[in-house]
Amino acid sequence: MSPGRKAPDSQKRARQTGSASRRGRTGRRGEAGGRGRAGAGGRPFVVLTGLSGAGKSHAIRALEDLGYFCVDNLPTTLIPTLARIALRDGGLEKVAIVVDVREKNLLSSFPRVFHKLRTMRGLSPLLIFLEASNAALVRRFSETRRPHPLAPGRSASEGIRDERARLIPIRKMADAIVDTSDMTVHELRQVFMRLPRGRPKGRLVVTMLSFGYKHGLPVDADLVFDVRCLPNPHFVPTLRHRTGRDRAVTLFMERDASTREFMERLEAYLRFVMPHYVAEGKSYLTVAIGCTGGRHRSVMIAERLKRAFAGNGALAVRVRHRDIGRA
């Protein structure tokens, strides 16, 4: 079942500026597992699970496009068998599977089975949990006219509440939680298409993401910082049609004392928190920097942050500018 159209901006969840977007962080820190994986750096083995209607079918198609061997609704007891096949010489290079409440033994056996995956030498398991708001899920079931798998004779709302409660233990185990409430199908596919082809062993993959608030908050952000308080190059005629990648924009912003102090404080904060994410075994961290349009200030600061942390051997730093090409 696919994600629907974007909800109005007024319905999107607000995030406090400069604070972590801690979606459902129970049992582990943020969207990454709070336990080290014996197979980190080994063959990718992605397990997709989550709420019915949250978009698992679209996610598995995106992974298939990335070259993963994909299996939908694999019985839980067969997961270790598939993992052993993947680890054989000449076996499967990377695997992605979907498991959910359609499998009757999921709730009772999955925690034990996934723990076994984490102990398999040469395997790099990643558990991704997809979810969405009750309103979004009800709308999707209404649009498709399909019954909820846990409520064939009841309303979709009842089935959604029941499933959400049952899946709490598995949600706590997840390495990544993806909220698809406000995503289009295309945006959900892009989340999975952007998965790194391979994570350097023992390193935290950090994405410095610039965006424009007028285009909506990024749904995959862990930390969100608002830089709209800084001088805006948009109001300088010679800079309006440039971007934060241009040296002229960088020089304009760095001449301002408040910008320099902001950057120093932001870098200091990130240098403080990142070792904690690394120590806890977090796999991915998205640091979102937002200005009004996502073209000047946020781009410049994201680029500077990338340079500032590029030499840190515990991190694999990259930058992405979501809205740089928008008007």
Side-chain angles (χ1 to χ4, degrees):
M1 191 166 298
S2 65
R5 292 184 293 273
K6 284 187 177 179
D9 288 345
S10 61
Q11 295 178 9
K12 294 183 178 180
R13 288 189 294 276
R15 294 178 175 89
Q16 290 187 345
T17 300
S19 65
S21 174
R22 311 295 283 273
R23 295 189 292 275
R25 298 189 175 187
T26 53
R28 66 194 191 341
R29 198 174 189 84
E31 293 188 341
R35 52 192 70 79
R37 291 191 292 278
R43 295 199 178 187
F45 196 96
V46 176
V47 181
L48 287 172
T49 189
L51 300 177
S52 302
K56 295 187 292 294
S57 61
H58 292 276
I60 199 72
R61 289 171 197 158
L63 290 172
E64 188 172 24
D65 292 343
L66 286 173
Y68 282 77
F69 177 83
C70 297
V71 182
D72 187 11
N73 200 24
L74 182 70
T76 306
T77 54
L78 295 181
I79 294 176
T81 301
L82 182 59
R84 286 191 289 270
I85 293 173
L87 290 173
R88 291 175 182 170
D89 291 338
L92 304 171
E93 182 179 349
K94 47 188 179 180
V95 175
I97 63 174
V98 172
V99 294
D100 54 34
V101 293
R102 291 174 294 172
E103 213 272 287
K104 295 182 179 180
N105 296 323
L106 175 74
L107 301 175
S108 60
S109 61
F110 181 79
R112 172 181 52 80
V113 168
F114 193 73
H115 175 72
K116 184 175 183 178
L117 293 183
R118 291 190 186 276
T119 64
M120 296 178 71
R121 188 177 300 277
L123 196 72
S124 184
L126 181 69
L127 178 60
I128 301 178
F129 189 97
L130 271 64
E131 63 180 20
S133 67
N134 284 5
L137 294 173
V138 169
R139 184 184 69 246
R140 293 170 192 174
F141 276 104
S142 176
E143 290 172 350
T144 61
R145 299 183 181 180
R146 293 179 60 191
H148 191 282
L150 292 186
R154 298 180 293 160
S155 68
S157 296
E158 292 174 290
I160 292 165
R161 286 194 297 268
D162 189 10
E163 182 180 31
R164 194 184 296 276
R166 292 191 190 186
L167 290 179
I168 287 175
I170 295 177
R171 186 182 187 277
K172 290 179 179 181
M173 298 170 57
D175 296 294
I177 296 174
V178 180
D179 188 333
T180 69
S181 300
D182 301 324
M183 287 188 188
T184 63
V185 171
H186 175 72
E187 288 170 333
L188 175 60
R189 284 180 58 83
Q190 286 301 311
V191 168
F192 287 90
M193 294 295 286
R194 290 195 301 266
L195 280 178
R197 301 302 193 269
R199 182 165 82 93
K201 184 175 180 180
R203 299 174 72 189
L204 172 66
V205 178
V206 180
T207 301
M208 303 298 181
L209 170 66
S210 71
F211 73 96
Y213 275 93
K214 73 176 184 179
H215 303 299
L217 289 165
V219 296
D220 54 345
D222 295 294
L223 301 171
V224 180
F225 299 94
D226 186 345
V227 300
R228 290 175 292 182
C229 58
L230 303 180
N232 192 352
H234 175 79
F235 297 110
V236 179
T238 58
L239 302 179
R240 178 169 300 176
H241 299 293
R242 295 178 178 267
T243 74
R245 286 175 165 172
D246 293 319
R247 180 168 174 77
V249 173
T250 300
L251 292 175
F252 168 80
M253 294 188 64
E254 289 181 342
R255 281 198 298 266
D256 180 72
S258 62
T259 300
R260 295 195 299 272
E261 182 178 0
F262 183 96
M263 284 303 311
E264 291 172 1
R265 291 175 179 265
L266 178 55
E267 287 183 21
Y269 171 74
L270 291 176
R271 291 189 190 282
F272 170 74
V273 298
M274 283 186 181
H276 294 283
Y277 288 122
V278 173
E280 196 170 328
K282 185 170 176 61
S283 300
Y284 308 101
L285 180 73
T286 298
V287 180
I289 313 295
C291 61
T292 303
R295 183 177 177 85
H296 295 106
R297 293 168 290 183
S298 61
V299 171
M300 176 267 183
I301 290 176
E303 291 284 350
R304 176 165 167 172
L305 287 173
K306 179 187 176 183
R307 293 193 299 271
F309 289 94
N312 189 322
L315 309 175
V317 185
R318 57 184 181 170
V319 68
R320 182 166 67 90
H321 303 302
R322 192 191 71 176
D323 301 322
I324 193 171
R326 298 193 184 188

